[in-house]
Amino acid sequence: MRWLFAALVLAATPATAQPLCATLDRIADVLREDHGEKPVQLGDARGGQVILFATPDGSTWTIVVAAPDGRACIVSDGRSWRPTGRGV
C-alpha cells in the first residue's frame, strides 16, 4: 500500500516515518477509489479526529488523523483488520 502515498501527489518526505498529509477529502477519495476502503470507525481526539478506513472484508486498513481545518495525515496502514468483539 506504500504506492498509495505516491498517488496522493504529496510533498516529498523522508522515508523515516513522517506522516504523509493532504486534505481529508483527497485522502478519502484515493482510499475509496483505489483501494475500496471506506471510513468504518471514528474517534474524537484533541484538536481533530482519528478515522479508520477499511475494506468491507477487512483485508486492508488505513488510519488517518484529521485536523479541524481539513488537513489530514496517514499515520499507519496494514492488512487483516478485524473487530475484537469487545466494547470499550
Side-chain angles (χ1 to χ4, degrees), residues 4 24-39 53-55:
L4 158 69
L24 178 57
D25 288 342
R26 179 69 180 130
I27 289 174
D29 287 347
V30 170
L31 291 174
R32 182 184 63 254
E33 293 168 9
D34 293 355
H35 301 284
E37 293 184 6
K38 297 179 181 178
F53 289 80
T55 55

Side-chain angles (χ1 to χ4, degrees), residues 5-6 8-14 18-22 71:
F5 305 134
L8 291 174
V9 191
L10 303 172
T13 58
Q18 275 195 343
L20 298 167
C21 303
R71 185 162 172 81

